[in-house]
Amino acid sequence: MTKVTIYDPAMCCDTGVCGPVVDPRLTAVAAAVFSLEKKGFDIKRFNLGTDPAAFVENKTVNALLFDQGVESLPITLVDGEVAKTGEYPTAQEFAAWFKVEETELQPVKQPGIPLNVKIASSGAK
């Protein structure tokens, strides 16, 4: 079975899908990883900010960081081999590695919250 590991740069949360401005590439990666995990595929992500030990323990990742610095992040390993550095995998690449349809990995579009909705006050002052 294919194993994919993504080593992310330091981010504010595990997926990078947080804060007031969300990078659509990170949303797509988070959706693909979530979909693949739900299907039982072996895929993991490590965030440099929250799991630095994973970067030290993997000799390949450690060597890339030593030689090329943080510009090499994100680093994607497929079955332990470097598949991509400096950018995230595309849905096409995930689909090819795991032999699934690309459409299975797209983010689910959620309707937005209407701006004219009134939020009930708790009455606390």
Side-chain angles (χ1 to χ4, degrees):
M1 182 200 271
T2 301
K3 177 181 181 176
V4 172
T5 311
I6 301 170
Y7 293 84
D8 290 303
M11 298 187 290
C12 59
C13 64
D14 288 341
T15 62
V17 183
C18 49
V21 179
V22 177
D23 183 338
R25 292 170 299 179
L26 290 174
T27 302
V29 169
V33 169
F34 178 75
S35 295
L36 291 163
E37 285 176 334
K38 280 184 66 174
K39 295 176 186 308
F41 289 106
D42 192 353
I43 185 164
K44 293 184 176 57
R45 288 178 78 180
F46 296 105
N47 180 336
L48 181 60
T50 58
D51 197 4
F55 293 73
V56 173
E57 292 167 359
N58 186 293
K59 292 178 184 179
T60 302
V61 171
N62 193 321
L64 271 169
L65 284 171
F66 184 78
D67 292 340
Q68 299 176 17
V70 293
E71 293 79 24
S72 62
L73 296 173
I75 299 168
T76 303
L77 303 182
V78 177
D79 295 328
E81 300 295 322
V82 176
K84 198 160 194 168
T85 63
E87 60 185 11
Y88 285 99
T90 63
Q92 275 183 315
E93 289 168 318
F94 281 124
W97 295 332
F98 289 106
K99 297 174 180 49
V100 297
E101 293 296 321
E102 187 178 335
T103 55
E104 297 177 56
L105 307 174
Q106 301 300 321
V108 176
K109 293 183 180 177
Q110 298 287 334
I113 298 173
L115 296 177
N116 61 351
V117 173
K118 290 185 180 181
I119 309 283
S121 174
S122 65
K125 294 186 181 187

